[in-house]
Amino acid sequence: MDESKLAITYELIKTCKQSGARLGRVHTPHGVIETPAFMPVGTQATVKTMSPEELKQMDAHIILSNTYHLFIRPGHEIVKKAGGLHKFMNWDRPILTDSGGFQVFSLSNMRKIKEEGVEFRSHLNGDKLFLSPEKAMEIQNALGSDIMMAFDECAPYPAEYDYVKKSLERTTRWAERCLESHARPQDQGLFAIVQGGMFEDLRRQSATELTSMDFPGYAIGGLSVGEPKDMMYNVLECTVPLLPAGKPRYLMGVGSPDALIDGAIRGIDMFDCVLPTRIARNGTTMTSSGRLVIRNAKYAEDFGPLDPECSCYTCKNYSRAYIRHLIKAEETFGIRLTTIHNLHFLLQLMRDVRQAIMEDRLLDFRETFFAQYGLFENTKGF
Amino acid sequence: MDESKLAITYELIKTCKQSGARLGRVHTPHGVIETPAFMPVGTQATVKTMSPEELKQMDAHIILSNTYHLFIRPGHEIVKKAGGLHKFMNWDRPILTDSGGFQVFSLSNMRKIKEEGVEFRSHLNGDKLFLSPEKAMEIQNALGSDIMMAFDECAPYPAEYDYVKKSLERTTRWAERCLESHARPQDQGLFAIVQGGMFEDLRRQSATELTSMDFPGYAIGGLSVGEPKDMMYNVLECTVPLLPAGKPRYLMGVGSPDALIDGAIRGIDMFDCVLPTRIARNGTTMTSSGRLVIRNAKYAEDFGPLDPECSCYTCKNYSRAYIRHLIKAEETFGIRLTTIHNLHFLLQLMRDVRQAIMEDRLLDFRETFFAQYGLFENTKGF
């Protein structure tokens, strides 16, 4: 296949001699993503509280949006009529859409999994709906994202070996059907999702099956679902080496600062997570000295910035006392300020990680960062 | 008194030969307000959903903030320690603070009005609190607003003649106490508030009593409290001529587009109202062809701007379909977009009004605007 015709290509710039992490670029129809990259999540065609200009100001290269949510509201046909998701939401940089698979399993009850696809009820109004590999492709083709994800089943944790094996094999068959029904391979790149739970041999089976098909990128799904972090890193260590070096690798749903560093060290190029935006809405912030809960009374008369080492809009212009006041008063501008800060924090962290890879010192960077920042028990528990 | 030492001065540029409306400038320690002016309301030290930069981008010259709310949370002492309200909220243009009087009467229950002041309970936690002319001055001196308001009683509508008369006379005595206890007259200008309900002779009494004292500006309070608009205009017509021509006149709590025009025609220089920001949060917008409720199903596939005649950020970049989606999905960015639009609409309207005064054609402008826009039954019922 002529690589120049592919929607998505990966360019390896260099590998960190100290850590093995990769510095690279993902080329997409809407521009370049410097990797390792963190992708802010814009579930409903908006990164909660943010404008596109604010995301650009903090130099987000790509955002993620959710197929399940847009399918339910406003409906992919409306987004298509608007000229696609980029135009609909006024974002002209790359967009990745997930497949809806994860949300069908995490948000909807009354789901029935069949070989054909999944029957489920809308979490909004209870309507009976159906998603399948073909439908997930139809929706994502209508949305027009740069990177689409194959429709998969994310097995729960913990789960029985036999269930996980059957599930990953179905995910492989579904990936094949996605590849066949994808209508716009010149415009949109389709990534497959490696499953297999916490079982090393099943991860190897899934990776082997999926890489035998020609996807322009591979994701690792089914992690950060409640397992200990060591278990997650074990899975990465047995899975990543099986993925093709010439294609991007995306670890789904991971966004705690320490896991971004430890994921990059294990060869991951892309990450996404609602963590920075979700905790921001509750007034929890990430700073260079660790977690800071701005509601705490001790910040009532603290007129310094959230993070003295940070150069974001929030830290340049507002005090902890003011942000605390806004959050306690339930003012929207307060969650705008904490969201800007948290996203900037992770995007700056990824810039620092890329610089450290360039200079072959990512393990040193990790040590310094962890000493100052501390470690969190697991990615969900920030 | 040497006028150059006054915190607030009014400069009359010209009077509209067609309508009698005034074009002017209010000079304040934080800059000039072109009048007639609409002041966006920033109740809790933030104009809901907006950043200071966004307010500047739409060329807001001044904002209003609420003494009652800031007294209760975070407390004026904290704002003072932060360096004053301008620094606390990162707004370097003029600020007007109200006196807390209106909120004590509208938000708090269990209030006891005495000559000394008003005992009331916090609407947040029920704490027993006390506001008086002296306390209202202490709070506003701590906040450091450019324009402070005297502590008044806003009589309800309808109300008995005798009650309104006693109330306005107390408001006069309170105004005198405010003038005496105002600690920073070189830095902050104190406006008195004319009361008197819907009774012409009481309005005249209040205006006469208050103008016998030397305030740098006068407000008309107790209007837009549920009375018919004609009644409000009658009150303006008997009150405004009694106010000194060399000082600004501020009509409190009025912000429907038609009332801004009809107020300016009656000689008003300044207005404020939560209307544009409050209705925006429910998805109701002001457009050149009248009210537009973006939740309506007919906008689901409408890819045009909210108002084709508008040049605001929202109308330049987003469709009705997208804004409808965001509002229905309860996304913050949706109310940011409708808030930007509504505030821009009123600020643009005031620019148009000022231009029409300059060109002696405000009555013509009124006729064209009303024909296109329609009239609303009363200011609260937009």
Side-chain angles (χ1 to χ4, degrees), chain A residues 146-312:
Chain A
D146 299 85
I147 300 175
M148 300 161 56
M149 300 303 299
F151 189 68
D152 64 327
E153 183 192 348
C154 175
Y157 171 81
E160 295 293 324
Y161 183 92
D162 286 351
Y163 181 86
V164 175
K165 183 172 168 67
K166 276 184 193 157
S167 167
L168 86 86
E169 289 170 352
R170 186 166 46 220
T171 288
T172 298
R173 292 191 296 276
W174 283 356
E176 203 161 2
R177 283 165 56 191
C178 285
L179 207 52
E180 280 165 14
S181 61
H182 177 14
R184 302 173 58 189
Q186 307 294 321
D187 307 320
Q188 302 175 267
L190 172 64
F191 284 20
I193 303 173
V194 176
Q195 292 288 353
M198 306 304 155
F199 304 102
E200 294 191 15
D201 64 318
L202 297 185
R203 286 284 171 177
R204 279 194 291 272
Q205 179 185 344
S206 178
T208 307
E209 289 177 5
L210 292 171
T211 54
S212 74
M213 292 178 265
D214 192 23
F215 290 93
Y218 290 89
I220 301 174
L223 292 178
S224 190
V225 290
E227 79 283 6
K229 273 191 181 169
D230 280 353
M231 197 179 273
M232 174 170 89
Y233 296 135
N234 284 341
V235 169
L236 291 187
E237 284 160 17
C238 79
T239 308
V240 171
L242 299 175
L243 301 178
K247 295 180 175 176
R249 305 153 179 173
Y250 160 31
L251 176 55
M252 305 182 83
V254 167
S256 73
D258 54 292
L260 293 177
I261 298 170
D262 280 338
I265 287 171
R266 286 162 180 85
I268 297 297
D269 305 304
M270 300 163 69
F271 304 86
D272 82 286
C273 195
V274 296
L275 184 75
T277 43
R278 179 170 290 167
I279 66 175
R281 296 198 295 282
N282 192 31
T284 301
T285 59
M286 301 167 168
T287 76
S288 51
S289 50
R291 176 161 64 172
L292 187 155
V293 179
I294 197 64
R295 287 175 175 271
N296 287 350
K298 65 179 166 182
Y299 303 121
E301 301 195 14
D302 184 336
F303 301 110
L306 267 183
D307 185 349
E309 294 183 24
C310 179
S311 63
C312 81

Side-chain angles (χ1 to χ4, degrees), chain A residues 45 48-49 53 313 322 336, chain B residues 45 49 53 313 322 331 336:
Chain A
K48 284 193 193 299
T49 81
E53 290 76 13
Y313 168 77
Y322 182 62
R336 285 180 62 184
Chain B
T49 81
E53 290 76 13
Y313 168 77
Y322 181 62
E331 284 285 357
R336 285 181 60 183

Side-chain angles (χ1 to χ4, degrees), chain B residues 49-213:
Chain B
T49 81
M50 291 292 96
S51 73
E53 290 76 13
E54 285 160 345
L55 293 167
K56 287 183 179 179
Q57 202 177 349
M58 58 178 81
D59 205 23
H61 296 172
I62 175 170
I63 60 169
L64 179 149
S65 198
N66 289 107
T67 288
Y68 169 93
H69 288 86
L70 297 177
F71 170 51
I72 290 183
R73 182 174 58 195
H76 55 291
E77 287 299 341
I78 284 182
V79 177
K80 186 178 182 180
K81 283 182 194 165
L85 186 54
H86 291 85
K87 196 165 174 211
F88 188 56
M89 67 181 290
N90 188 33
W91 173 255
D92 57 10
R93 293 189 182 179
I95 298 175
L96 182 149
T97 46
D98 66 2
S99 67
F102 182 78
Q103 280 74 29
V104 166
F105 295 101
S106 66
L107 286 182
S108 172
N109 45 26
M110 311 255 311
R111 62 181 173 272
K112 269 191 237 170
I113 310 173
K114 301 174 185 174
E115 185 63 23
E116 176 58 20
V118 185
E119 241 180 58
F120 63 99
R121 290 194 180 272
S122 160
H123 74 293
L124 290 182
N125 59 14
D127 280 359
K128 199 184 268 189
L129 297 166
F130 184 71
L131 271 183
S132 63
E134 291 75 17
K135 188 73 188 176
M137 293 303 99
E138 180 201 326
I139 298 168
Q140 293 182 76
N141 283 153
L143 298 176
S145 48
D146 299 86
I147 300 176
M148 299 161 57
M149 300 304 299
F151 190 66
D152 65 327
E153 184 192 348
C154 175
Y157 171 81
E160 296 293 324
Y161 183 92
D162 287 351
Y163 181 84
V164 175
K165 184 171 167 67
K166 276 184 195 157
S167 167
L168 86 85
E169 289 170 351
R170 186 168 45 220
T171 289
T172 297
R173 293 190 296 276
W174 284 357
E176 202 162 2
R177 283 166 55 191
C178 284
L179 206 52
E180 280 163 16
S181 61
H182 177 15
R184 301 174 58 191
Q186 308 294 322
D187 307 321
Q188 301 175 267
L190 172 63
F191 285 20
I193 303 173
V194 176
Q195 291 288 353
M198 306 304 155
F199 305 103
E200 294 192 14
D201 64 318
L202 297 185
R203 285 284 170 178
R204 278 193 293 271
Q205 179 185 345
S206 178
T208 307
E209 289 177 5
L210 292 170
T211 54
S212 74
M213 292 177 265

